[in-house]
Amino acid sequence: MNLNVLLIGTDNPERLRDYYTKLFGKPNWDEGGYFGWQIGSGSMTVAAHDQVKGKNSAPGRLIWNIETADVKGQFEKFKAAGATVVKEPYSMGEAPGQDMSIATFADPDDNYFQLMSPMEMPTEADRPVADMGARS
């Protein structure tokens, strides 16, 4: 499997298109009311959705992340472009290999998204082996 697209439903796709265009540049596609940007190997799309009205009442429920090695630098670019800052860059984790930076933003519908340092995901080999003791 491969998660590759995030779709943000809204009752005002043009407003979100304008906002994200300031951050990511001209959409890679703009067709039939769908606006999308390629971000790394994945993409983000904005479109009208009949079940979405107004602002997000629980913006922290779903937060999407954009990985970057330069959180602080990219944060400054987004902020200068008019991004709505929820939380300035901060560090998370102290153990070696867990030092990461995160910055949180909100779009005009109050959907949260973050810039975050690259994070290594554990592989199958890194996971603890279940107790393989004798069975009765």
Side-chain angles (χ1 to χ4, degrees), residues 74-132:
Q74 200 62 49
F75 170 83
E76 292 301 331
K77 288 180 184 178
F78 279 17
K79 186 175 171 183
T84 302
V85 176
V86 172
K87 187 155 177 98
E88 301 234 354
Y90 64 96
S91 292
M92 190 173 152
E94 295 180 18
Q98 293 183 358
D99 184 28
M100 60 186 311
S101 293
I102 300 174
T104 307
F105 301 93
D107 71 16
D109 282 3
D110 263 351
N111 300 304
Y112 284 4
F113 62 101
Q114 298 180 132
L115 293 170
M116 71 185 302
S117 302
M119 184 173 89
E120 288 188 36
M121 295 299 286
T123 64
E124 196 65 35
D126 295 330
R127 295 187 181 142
V129 177
D131 182 6
M132 300 299 288

Side-chain angles (χ1 to χ4, degrees), residues 6-10 12-13 15-21 23-24 37 44-47 52 54-56 59 62 64 82-86 104-114:
L6 169 72
L7 173 62
I8 299 176
T10 181
N12 191 338
R15 179 180 62 210
L16 291 187
R17 177 202 58 211
D18 294 347
Y19 178 82
Y20 286 114
T21 296
L23 305 183
F24 305 129
W37 292 263
M44 186 271 290
T45 304
V46 171
V52 177
K55 292 190 175 207
N56 187 344
L62 177 70
W64 58 284
T84 302
V85 176
V86 172
T104 307
F105 301 93
D107 71 16
D109 282 3
D110 263 351
N111 300 304
Y112 284 4
F113 62 101
Q114 298 180 132

